[in-house]
Amino acid sequence: MTMQTRRRASRGERFDPASFEAKWRERWEADGLYLARDDDDRAKHYLLTMYPYTSGDLHIGHWYAVTGPDVVARMRRMQGLNVMFPMGFDSFGLPAENAAIDQGVHPATWTNENIERMRSQFRTTGCMFDWSREVVTSDPDYYRGTQWLFAQFYKAGLAYRAMAAVDWCPKDQVVLAREQVLGPERRCWRCGTPVVKRDLEQWFFRITRYADELLDFSGIDWPEPIRLMQTNWIGRSEGAEIAFPVDAQGVEAIRVFTTRPDTIYGATFMVLAPEHPLVGTLTTPDRRAEVEAYAAAARRETEIERMNAEREKSGAFLGSYALNPMTNERMPIWVADYVLPGYGTGAIMAVPAHDERDYAFARRYDLPIRYVVAPASGELPDGEAFVAHTADEVLVESGEFTGMLAAEAIAAITQQLADMGLGVAAVTYRLRDWLVSRQRYWGAPIPIVYCEQHGAQLVPEEELPVLLPSEVDFAPTGVSPLASHPEFLAATCPVDGGPARRETDTMDTFVDSSWYFLRYTSPHDERAWDPDKARLWMPVDMYTGGAEHAVLHLMYARFFVKALRDMGILDFNEPFLALRNQGQILGADHHRMSKSRGNVVNPDDLVARYGTDAVRLFLMFIGPWDQGGPWSTTGIDGVYRFLARVWHLSQADDEAPGAGAAGALGSAGAERSLRRATHQAIAAVTDDYEGFRFNTGIAKLMELANALADARAAGIGRSAAYAEAVDTLLLLLAPVAPHVAEELWKRRRKPYSIHQQAWPASDPALAAVDAVELPVQVDGKLRDRLRVAAGTSAEEIERLALASERVQAYLGGRAPRRVIQIPGKLVNVVTPGD
């Protein structure tokens, strides 16, 4: 068969992705095409997308999340970087344990079966994951590292145990971190059950020690909404901490935090949260029954219910009094549900004249209301609190500070309190320490044993990992299933070798994801990671994932890196130098995809009909990647037709309609035009891929395909310009449609693999436009068009516009009032009017 016959046969083949996509995936994996090499001389580029939970099936949302970063990873590799793009599985957690309860299957079995299925589905996406670096967080080799990290935090004073009122999910029978309680109704982030409060002894990580540093986002390229969410969650407030002595013998002072110490002269009563430790001490015998009943009722309410501004304020008098340190007046001490234990100190100085909640409370219980801050005019509201503060407000009825600007009085009063030993300038945070204890089985066991003589002791490093026993009772009881496993409980004290009881709580799964990016650097090392490999690859250059993790995973990971840096284990400040968030693909019903809603879209049917590349291309083309939207298959046929068009255009450069029909001058112009389109596409697509603007990048690929079709029609299908344009189109298409690009590259007898070729470079001279056509308007209405050489001066463009017969017809020989130009876009002549 001759070369020409083979090419004609090739051209006649139908576009059939099923005939080659799986073949190429198998070839790439067999050749180790996407392995990241530790000994590579090229500059490293660590691109990471958030690993999924092992739910069992990938839906179209997973495809959407991973395809975007895969496009960028492929381009970066072609740009000459040593790219690491790994994948793993977040495999500990409640769903696996719930499956054990509901289906009678062991969590490990359920998890491993899901991983096997998801691993296969991930391969179908065509992503260039380096599977040799896979991590699975429920693997003992992985959670050995999780336990080792807990030990480092414990030794550094960053892990501690304390009794605390915790958020408890009554359905899952588990403690939740504050960040895992969602929405105004305070529901469990996993199952949606309303959360209640419960007192338990828990393990915490001291994330609050890093609150200020976590507010510093310098040196990282993160979206502003994520930075704002973390900033608001940390909630830094400046003010003063003030001690209010209690009018009783042997009772410690009540400490409050306030951002407005200048209003202390207006503090007429104190309010404690029902959970405050001094409530019991300060309650007099005659008030005890009422106070205890009130406190018990308040603890059953949600924070949103307690903070509801529309709700009538309620409380109970404790029977005790405090002393205002500035006036020495006695102040009754109350308990009220609108004061929360997690904000400030859990106690407030109530200033009813300048706080709406305190005002409502004082009106209900007939407590004194004293205005101590007023605008310069002296006008105060009637029948309400003065809270609309102004820059010129001054203190009134405030002793020696009367007449002082409120802004100056804050510092002055704080200083006087400090001189008295009753106050100090202070900063407080909304952020609370991270509660990491979980009373469940399917998680990394906390490596602590309890000895009657020596107390809590770390399990020695050489005994890690503390393995989960395989046979346990998974019935939810409110304590860990491990607590009823005698063999697991039996331990040895590392101090004297005597008997000890093993900790039965496991760690929050967000501990696992706070360091998995480090494990990818050396996933088979016996240590958590190889320090040399971590220095080679870290920090992550580009991280992608959902914005819903802003105050969970993303903040915890930053905390981990900063803490490990201070321990001397890491030598960098941030885990992720750049972050990009994808939007969410919703179900057709505009709700988040979930099995319970029945709106999950399985991509397998689409792949079977259209092929992997068409699904990838369609997902990246439906709109801005960072916005997402409701799922619809409208338009996927058009994307498939585009790929089929590329299929035929790239194999038809030897024989084109009208080939040879154009004259030499016409051919030269057509080739110049095609080269211009080619190099403009290179520059634009590169910029769009780098900016995660995949939809506009793909649109430019379609424009280049149109230019190729025009070139064929112009008779230059056999030209070097046409061949260059086809090769460029395939190279630019390769990151988003890797299979068809590889197949067509091979058919064009190019060296394997297209994904190992250099990314094309745009030549600005070839991309430059020879001439531009400018619409000419008169008073905003189109009247003519000018074709001028690129770079023509504004003065010359104005001269040509005014010389136009059509423009002159409207000017009538008059001079224009002005001529407006938008460079390269249009000219607008404004007539002088009558």
Side-chain angles (χ1 to χ4, degrees):
M1 182 182 291
T2 66
M3 180 76 71
Q4 186 176 20
T5 304
R6 284 198 300 269
R7 288 183 176 176
R8 286 175 178 165
S10 173
R11 285 200 309 279
E13 290 183 29
R14 182 174 61 91
F15 175 54
D16 179 18
S19 67
F20 58 81
E21 286 189 341
K23 171 192 72 174
W24 285 119
R25 286 197 295 271
E26 292 168 5
R27 172 81 183 272
W28 296 331
E29 187 157 354
D31 293 345
L33 198 65
Y34 302 127
L35 298 181
R37 311 288 181 181
D38 296 332
D39 57 354
D40 200 302
D41 292 334
R42 295 173 297 171
K44 73 92 177 179
H45 187 79
Y46 187 176
L47 199 156
L48 182 61
T49 191
M50 295 178 188
Y51 63 0
Y53 182 72
T54 48
S55 56
D57 286 293
L58 297 188
H59 56 66
I60 206 70
H62 290 106
W63 276 62
Y64 188 74
V66 301
T67 301
D70 182 63
V71 172
V72 178
R74 289 178 174 278
M75 179 186 68
R76 293 299 188 204
R77 194 174 187 279
M78 295 172 73
Q79 288 174 330
L81 298 175
N82 181 23
V83 176
M84 179 163 73
F85 187 48
M87 179 49 69
F89 297 97
D90 184 13
S91 53
F92 269 144
L94 283 174
E97 197 161 338
N98 289 340
I101 297 168
D102 299 339
Q103 304 172 24
V105 58
H106 194 280
T109 302
W110 185 86
T111 299
N112 292 332
E113 288 176 353
N114 286 350
I115 288 174
E116 193 61 36
R117 184 161 60 254
M118 294 174 74
R119 192 184 286 131
S120 174
Q121 291 174 326
F122 263 129
R123 284 180 162 87
T124 305
T125 67
C127 290
M128 56 167 277
F129 295 129
D130 181 350
W131 288 104
S132 72
R133 294 176 181 268
E134 179 189 86
V135 300
V136 177
T137 60
S138 58
D139 188 318
D141 285 341
Y142 186 91
Y143 68 76
R144 178 200 295 117
T146 305
Q147 293 172 346
W148 178 82
L149 284 164
F150 179 95
Q152 308 317 304
F153 276 62
Y154 183 83
K155 288 185 283 189
L158 294 174
Y160 67 94
R161 199 168 187 237
M163 183 68 75
V166 297
D167 290 312
W168 175 265
C169 175
K171 179 179 184 297
D172 288 330
Q173 295 279 294
V174 66
V175 173
L176 300 175
R178 182 176 172 186
E179 295 83 356
Q180 294 167 324
V181 180
L182 304 181
E185 297 179 341
R186 288 180 43 78
R187 294 184 178 274
C188 171
W189 76 296
R190 283 289 194 193
C191 67
T193 302
V195 170
V196 298
K197 291 289 186 182
R198 181 170 175 175
D199 288 328
L200 287 175
E201 197 163 26
Q202 300 291 304
W203 283 99
F204 293 84
F205 281 165
R206 216 179 293 274
I207 190 174
T208 51
R209 186 175 292 180
Y210 288 84
D212 279 326
E213 193 175 352
L214 289 169
L215 288 168
D216 181 5
F217 299 95
S218 59
I220 57 176
D221 175 15
W222 282 31
E224 177 61 28
I226 300 295
R227 299 199 302 267
L228 183 61
M229 280 189 277
Q230 289 200 5
T231 298
N232 290 340
W233 188 260
I234 294 167
R236 187 180 194 274
S237 297
E238 296 184 2
E241 186 174 288
I242 305 172
F244 284 76
V246 174
D247 191 13
Q249 292 294 323
V251 181
E252 64 181 285
I254 299 172
R255 307 194 73 85
V256 305
F257 173 84
T258 176
T259 60
R260 294 299 302 266
D262 55 313
T263 63
I264 190 170
Y265 282 86
T268 58
F269 59 99
M270 306 288 294
V271 183
L272 306 185
E275 299 86 352
H276 196 286
L278 286 178
V279 169
T281 302
L282 295 174
T283 303
T284 57
D286 61 312
R287 307 293 304 161
R288 189 165 303 280
E290 180 184 344
V291 168
E292 288 181 350
Y294 180 85
R299 286 168 63 87
R300 289 194 294 270
E301 298 171 333
T302 68
E303 283 191 13
I304 289 298
E305 289 172 334
R306 289 170 63 169
M307 294 293 288
N308 186 350
E310 305 300 320
R311 183 184 185 192
E312 185 179 29
K313 297 296 177 285
S314 65
F317 176 46
L318 300 186
S320 298
Y321 293 82
L323 299 176
N324 187 316
M326 299 301 288
T327 66
N328 212 34
E329 293 174 295
R330 296 177 83 221
M331 306 164 63
I333 306 171
W334 291 69
V335 62
D337 59 6
Y338 74 89
V339 178
L340 301 177
Y343 292 88
T345 63
I348 65 166
M349 64 174 201
V351 186
H354 302 290
D355 183 276
E356 291 173 338
R357 297 174 307 162
D358 296 346
Y359 184 89
F361 193 91
R363 289 292 298 267
R364 178 173 182 183
Y365 293 105
D366 197 24
L367 295 165
I369 299 172
R370 182 183 305 136
Y371 292 93
V372 293
V373 178
S377 65
E379 296 181 9
L380 287 167
D382 184 26
E384 60 181 294
F386 172 57
V387 295
H389 296 295
T390 60
D392 64 349
E393 64 189 10
V394 296
L395 267 59
V396 297
E397 303 293 330
S398 297
E400 64 188 273
F401 300 98
T402 298
M404 183 179 288
L405 285 172
E408 297 175 3
I410 290 175
I413 290 176
T414 300
Q415 184 58 54
Q416 183 155 320
L417 288 165
D419 294 341
M420 298 164 60
L422 294 174
V424 63
V427 174
T428 193
Y429 302 89
R430 183 175 183 269
L431 178 70
R432 291 293 173 261
D433 281 339
W434 175 12
L435 191 157
V436 297
S437 288
R438 296 294 179 269
Q439 289 67 49
R440 301 299 293 226
Y441 165 79
W442 194 235
I446 293 175
I448 290 285
V449 298
Y450 300 97
C451 170
E452 286 192 11
Q453 183 174 352
H454 300 103
Q457 296 291 325
L458 282 171
V459 174
E461 186 174 327
E462 61 272 15
E463 295 181 17
L464 299 180
V466 176
L467 293 170
L468 289 168
S470 58
E471 300 296 330
V472 292
D473 180 3
F474 294 106
T477 61
V479 296
S480 170
L482 298 173
S484 60
H485 195 284
E487 293 83 0
F488 181 82
L489 287 171
T492 301
C493 175
V495 178
D496 61 6
R501 178 180 58 83
R502 196 176 301 283
E503 171 63 74
T504 58
D505 283 359
T506 54
M507 281 183 258
D508 180 6
T509 56
F510 282 103
V511 177
D512 304 331
S513 60
S514 293
W515 73 280
Y516 81 113
F517 45 88
L518 289 159
R519 183 63 175 173
Y520 280 134
T521 66
S522 46
H524 309 296
D525 200 280
E526 291 186 357
R527 298 162 292 182
W529 61 83
D530 180 330
D532 292 333
K533 301 294 176 56
R535 275 190 291 272
L536 170 66
W537 288 105
M538 291 297 298
V540 174
D541 296 283
M542 175 61 72
Y543 196 39
T544 70
E548 67 271 19
H549 296 290
V551 294
L552 287 166
H553 161 60
L554 288 171
M555 191 167 67
Y556 293 158
R558 295 183 68 214
F559 160 58
F560 253 56
V561 165
K562 294 174 188 299
L564 292 169
R565 175 208 59 202
D566 288 348
M567 297 176 208
I569 297 173
L570 297 178
D571 61 358
F572 51 92
N573 299 321
E574 295 281 355
F576 317 120
L577 295 181
L579 172 70
R580 297 293 180 268
N581 301 121
Q582 80 270 4
Q584 195 170 85
I585 294 294
L586 305 175
D589 57 2
H590 291 243
H591 290 288
R592 182 172 182 171
M593 288 188 184
S594 68
K595 291 180 180 178
S596 61
R597 289 185 181 275
N599 64 353
V600 172
V601 176
N602 187 327
D604 294 350
D605 294 339
L606 292 171
V607 171
R609 181 175 178 183
Y610 297 103
T612 290
D613 283 345
V615 176
R616 286 170 59 99
L617 200 72
F618 176 63
L619 284 170
M620 295 301 96
F621 190 55
I622 57 177
W625 185 74
D626 61 350
Q627 294 181 21
W631 171 253
S632 169
T633 57
T634 302
I636 193 169
D637 287 295
V639 166
Y640 181 84
R641 287 194 299 271
F642 165 68
L643 288 177
R645 190 182 192 201
V646 172
W647 178 266
H648 295 295
L649 284 171
S650 65
Q651 299 180 82
D653 55 342
D654 62 324
E655 184 175 328
L665 185 60
S667 294
E671 290 181 32
R672 187 165 57 251
S673 177
L674 181 56
R675 280 205 165 95
R676 181 185 308 118
T678 300
H679 286 266
Q680 288 177 344
I682 294 170
V685 171
T686 302
D687 185 61
D688 282 341
Y689 285 178
E690 289 177 344
F692 285 73
R693 297 183 299 272
F694 308 111
N695 58 322
T696 55
I698 292 167
K700 293 177 177 75
L701 295 179
M702 294 177 174
E703 291 174 8
L704 181 55
N706 290 339
L708 279 165
D710 291 343
R712 287 188 64 214
I716 60 167
R718 297 176 183 172
S719 68
Y722 190 92
E724 177 195 355
V726 170
D727 290 347
T728 299
L729 176 60
L730 295 181
L731 290 165
L732 298 176
L733 183 66
V736 71
H739 307 84
V740 67
E742 186 77 277
E743 179 68 15
L744 290 171
W745 194 254
K746 175 183 178 257
R747 287 169 178 255
R748 291 178 64 77
R749 294 169 179 78
K750 301 291 184 178
Y752 173 81
S753 156
I754 190 172
H755 304 294
Q756 293 177 311
Q757 306 306 308
W759 188 252
S762 176
D763 184 333
L766 293 176
V769 177
D770 294 334
V772 292
E773 186 176 84
L774 299 174
V776 180
Q777 299 175 344
V778 176
D779 293 331
K781 295 182 179 180
L782 181 65
R783 300 303 183 190
D784 202 356
R785 293 181 183 276
L786 284 179
R787 186 167 182 81
V788 298
T792 300
S793 68
E795 293 79 6
E796 177 64 10
I797 291 174
E798 180 174 330
R799 187 189 70 77
L800 293 170
L802 294 178
S804 163
E805 291 183 3
R806 294 181 180 179
V807 171
Q808 282 297 323
Y810 289 93
L811 284 174
R814 299 169 297 171
R817 184 150 59 94
R818 57 177 172 157
V819 177
I820 302 169
Q821 292 190 46
I822 300 177
K825 299 294 184 182
L826 63 82
V827 181
N828 183 30
V829 178
V830 181
T831 61
D834 296 328

